[in-house]
Amino acid sequence: MTRTEEFQELRPLLFSIAYRILGSVSEAEDAVQEAWLRYEAAPARPGSPRAFLSTVVTRISIDVLRSARVRREEYVGPWLPEPLLTDPYEDPVRSAELADSVSMAALLLLERLTPLERAVFVLREVFAFGFPEIASAVGRSEAACHQLAVRARRHMEAGRVRFEADRRERDRLAGRFFDALRAGDVDGLTELLAADVHMTGDSGGKAPQFEPVVLGAENVLRALASFVPLLGRSGGAVEPRQVNGQPGSILRDGDGITGHAVLYGMDTTSVQRFKDFFRCPERDI
């Protein structure tokens, strides 16, 4: 097998590692490309291409994340992870676990970790790397990696939601939400929004958006009621899709400019909770 073939076989894994560490599709793609350049330039073929490339893409991602933290502190409005429509890494045995690890909720929790904690958590908890591999990848001792993993798990567990929505019920509620949104059905939306719902927007710093955070059912309904007619007049569309493994939608205006909506926080009890994220990636603007 040539280096190119080895790399292409490992590309889905490398991208999936980089995306979970960085929370950005474009930055993950750049990290994977840089890993290829280093692999191609290596004077001798590594004994384990998987170990070599996983180490390289992890170290690149850690460096990028450290600089990205500074940029995000200066970002206009709240920074949200860049939506991912398809995760290329497949493992049928762990498909549900992998999908959960790329959800918006998980990525936002990962933002609480330091770059090293985030890398160790992703490699250990998501991709089941052994601690010797992790230590090599992040340039720390195995003992230090154990400590990083413990701290990361503690932070992640502290921030997890207190309920787990049934997936089929979640998808059914999301379908009702987007049907009501497309139809401009205010009564239908009112039935689905909890009193303490809030909507957060990230326009990539360029596209028009709502207020950074809209709080309460009445205010969210007002924002949605003003948004739907604008979308309709521009010839736009709301296209339901899975976004980061969750019910979501691609929003298109008449010129083909796209944004994404992701719903999470749906409870299957009598109170149905929605937290809505709207994101327009810069490269789509």
Side-chain angles (χ1 to χ4, degrees):
M1 187 180 292
T2 66
R3 288 198 190 198
T4 301
E5 290 169 337
E6 290 171 341
F7 179 79
Q8 290 302 328
E9 186 175 283
L10 291 165
R11 179 188 282 273
L13 170 64
L14 301 177
F15 173 83
S16 296
I17 291 172
Y19 177 74
R20 285 164 173 81
I21 294 175
L22 293 167
S24 165
V25 173
S26 55
E27 288 176 347
E29 289 172 343
D30 289 344
V32 171
Q33 182 60 26
E34 178 61 26
W36 160 247
L37 294 176
R38 296 188 190 184
Y39 185 51
E40 185 182 37
R45 293 182 76 165
S48 171
R50 179 180 182 273
F52 177 87
L53 285 165
S54 297
T55 294
V56 171
V57 83
T58 297
R59 291 185 178 183
I60 291 170
S61 298
I62 290 171
D63 289 342
V64 172
L65 184 59
R66 283 172 173 154
S67 61
R69 287 290 173 88
V70 176
R71 296 196 305 274
R72 290 171 192 175
E73 287 174 0
E74 301 171 352
Y75 193 78
V76 177
W79 183 89
L80 299 175
E82 185 177 350
L84 180 68
L85 297 180
T86 304
D87 187 2
Y89 184 69
E90 296 182 0
D91 182 346
V93 177
R94 301 175 59 245
S95 59
E97 183 181 346
L98 288 166
D100 287 342
S101 73
V102 83
S103 69
M104 283 287 175
L107 292 174
L108 287 169
L109 285 177
L110 284 168
E111 284 292 307
R112 302 180 181 187
L113 307 183
T114 68
L116 277 176
E117 288 172 345
R118 187 163 180 165
V120 169
F121 183 88
V122 167
L123 293 176
R124 179 64 180 173
E125 301 298 325
V126 181
F127 295 101
F129 277 53
F131 279 107
E133 294 176 284
I134 296 171
S136 175
V138 303
R140 294 293 189 275
S141 68
E142 288 187 45
C145 289
H146 275 281
Q147 292 178 341
L148 287 165
V150 169
R151 287 205 300 268
R153 280 195 296 268
R154 188 182 302 127
H155 286 305
M156 294 294 285
E157 288 298 327
R160 290 191 187 280
V161 294
R162 288 173 291 177
F163 61 83
E164 291 291 339
D166 176 80
R167 290 178 183 274
R168 284 179 295 182
E169 180 69 2
R170 181 195 68 180
D171 291 345
R172 185 186 69 81
L173 292 173
R176 287 178 57 193
F177 177 87
F178 284 117
D179 285 345
L181 183 64
R182 283 196 299 268
D185 180 2
V186 175
D187 290 338
L189 290 171
T190 301
E191 292 178 4
L192 290 166
L193 296 179
D196 60 350
V197 65
H198 69 274
M199 180 167 65
T200 306
D202 177 358
S203 67
K206 293 186 178 182
Q209 70 169 64
F210 302 120
E211 293 296 320
V213 180
V214 182
L215 300 174
E218 183 177 347
N219 292 328
V220 169
L221 282 168
R222 188 180 299 116
L224 292 175
S226 66
F227 165 76
V228 172
L230 290 174
L231 189 67
R233 286 198 295 271
S234 71
V238 178
E239 303 172 8
R241 288 282 296 275
Q242 288 286 305
V243 183
N244 288 74
Q246 295 176 286
S249 184
I250 297 176
L251 314 177
R252 302 186 190 276
D253 70 8
D255 296 323
I257 294 176
T258 62
H260 304 79
V262 182
L263 302 178
Y264 82 80
M266 287 174 283
D267 198 343
T268 56
T269 63
S270 58
V271 178
Q272 299 149 12
R273 299 177 181 276
F274 287 82
K275 182 183 287 185
D276 303 75
F277 286 88
F278 286 80
R279 164 96 188 195
C280 299
E282 287 188 21
R283 65 173 185 273
D284 289 338
I285 300 304

